[in-house]
Amino acid sequence: MDDENCRVSLAELYEMASNSKQGVVIVTGADGHIGREVCRLLKTSGTKFLATDVDPGEASDFVACDLSRKDDVARLLLSQPVRAVIHLAAILPSAFHSHPLAAVDVNLTGCFELLRQAVSVQAERFVFASSRSVYGSSFSGRPLTEMDPATPDEPYGAAKRVVELVGETLATAQTIEFVSLRIAIVIGQGIKKTSSPWRAEIFESPSKRHRINIPFAPEAVLPLVHVEDVARMLVALAETSKPRSSVYNTPVENWEARSLKEAIENTRGVHVEVSPHGPHGGPLCDGSRFAREFGFQLQGLRRRLLG
């Protein structure tokens, strides 16, 4: 087949993908901590979705897609009509700092290619998993709202903010609906790889754990949100008829590290250590906008610990 026919075939694929008003919800990073829970919720609700990850392993219902490869991204978006994208795939902070150029290939170049392809097939909405890191890394003293300046001071948060700015520009031009969820500290069972294992360990059976280390100063205030609640928020943003805003903070519970230590020890029966000279937890976030607009309530951490 010559180059011209190849180009025509690709154009026809785009036309077929964009002409349907129905379509799937694509979930990137579907084998991650949040992604698995998002997929579970979509499956439970009967929503047609396509789960993708760079390395789906033995999961037969996952599609392999490397965001750093344009061909992979194009093939993913053209495989069937797409209604929305929930974009979770990313290189996380510690790995970003260790391998910044490789991280840029995924968190920026790959993300923009995914966004470009979503626009090309006329997907309705792009839901972006952002981070409280867009507010910087220093303790904020008070919970920050979406109206406060986003002033990231390290590469991971800066990359998140760049994607937000591009997405907001596209949304203003009515090119695609773009909405960003700035996620706080995610806790919950099932984290496969993390530099902060305590976020999962606090829910594990006490018989599996003699000690948990929470690497923050006793007075550090930690904005915590359970993975199940984050997944509920992302699905709500994908499924609502029209979000009122383009950016939301996750509702959270703010816990002092020493109070969290006490709660875990009292409910789980496992010893917890905090770090006397550890960091102070970073910025706090006010998630009242999301809670108000979606009528959203968190399930309390104490209740989850007891469960």
Side-chain angles (χ1 to χ4, degrees):
M1 183 178 291
D2 61 32
D3 289 346
E4 183 177 356
N5 286 334
C6 285
R7 287 195 293 272
V8 171
S9 298
L10 186 60
E12 289 174 345
L13 282 171
Y14 274 112
E15 185 177 0
M16 286 187 292
S18 62
N19 280 344
S20 175
K21 292 184 181 300
Q22 302 298 319
V24 301
V25 175
I26 289 180
V27 181
T28 71
D31 195 37
H33 190 213
I34 300 172
R36 291 192 302 275
E37 185 61 24
V38 167
C39 291
R40 187 190 69 79
L41 289 181
L42 292 173
K43 185 175 183 179
T44 299
S45 68
T47 300
K48 188 177 180 182
F49 69 97
L50 183 62
T52 180
D53 207 292
V54 65
D55 182 13
E58 299 180 356
S60 59
D61 54 347
F62 278 33
V63 174
C65 178
D66 184 345
L67 291 181
S68 66
R69 297 176 59 89
K70 288 186 177 183
D71 288 349
D72 275 17
V73 179
R75 196 158 39 242
L76 176 69
L77 270 293
L78 293 172
S79 62
Q80 53 191 301
V82 177
R83 176 166 59 87
V85 176
I86 300 177
H87 180 42
L88 293 158
I91 303 299
L92 298 179
S94 58
F96 197 120
H97 295 158
S98 299
H99 306 285
L101 295 179
V104 165
D105 287 341
V106 174
N107 291 22
L108 287 176
T109 307
C111 179
F112 288 140
E113 184 61 25
L114 183 68
L115 187 52
R116 179 183 293 107
Q117 294 288 348
V119 169
S120 295
V121 301
Q122 297 181 22
E124 295 175 7
R125 185 171 303 157
F126 193 97
V127 180
F128 178 58
S130 188
S131 167
R132 68 173 182 138
S133 298
V134 300
Y135 295 115
S137 57
S138 300
F139 178 63
S140 58
R142 64 170 177 84
L144 301 175
T145 74
E146 297 86 350
M147 300 301 293
D148 283 298
T151 54
D153 55 10
E154 46 76 42
Y156 176 80
K160 292 290 188 183
R161 183 57 183 147
V162 168
V163 174
E164 287 185 346
L165 289 170
V166 172
E168 290 164 8
T169 302
L170 291 171
T172 300
Q174 299 185 337
T175 303
I176 191 171
E177 294 177 3
F178 178 92
V179 60
S180 173
L181 184 67
R182 293 173 175 172
I183 301 171
I185 299 175
V186 181
I187 56 176
Q189 289 179 297
I191 302 177
K192 292 183 176 180
K193 297 178 181 179
T194 176
S195 58
S196 304
W198 66 272
R199 296 187 292 117
E201 291 171 353
I202 62 177
F203 296 100
E204 293 178 356
S205 169
S207 62
K208 296 181 179 180
R209 190 71 48 195
H210 298 295
R211 175 181 301 175
I212 297 173
N213 295 306
I214 299 179
F216 292 97
E219 65 276 14
V221 181
L222 309 177
L224 306 180
V225 57
H226 196 275
V227 63
E228 293 176 2
D229 289 322
V230 176
R232 287 167 56 208
M233 294 177 213
L234 290 164
V235 171
L237 290 174
E239 296 295 305
T240 189
S241 59
K242 180 76 174 179
R244 298 182 197 173
S245 306
S246 63
V247 60
Y248 294 92
N249 294 332
T250 51
V252 298
E253 286 187 71
N254 290 315
W255 280 79
E256 277 197 340
R258 56 188 160 209
S259 298
L260 181 61
K261 162 185 163 68
E262 180 181 347
I264 296 167
E265 290 178 339
N266 289 341
T267 58
R268 308 296 291 172
V270 59
H271 179 65
V272 177
E273 290 188 352
V274 293
S275 178
H277 305 292
H280 284 255
L284 303 178
C285 301
D286 180 344
S288 59
R289 171 187 284 182
F290 189 96
R292 180 176 62 253
E293 294 184 13
F294 289 86
F296 190 89
Q297 291 185 332
L298 297 171
Q299 182 176 333
L301 176 57
R302 289 186 187 276
R303 181 179 173 185
R304 290 188 184 277
L305 289 172
L306 289 169

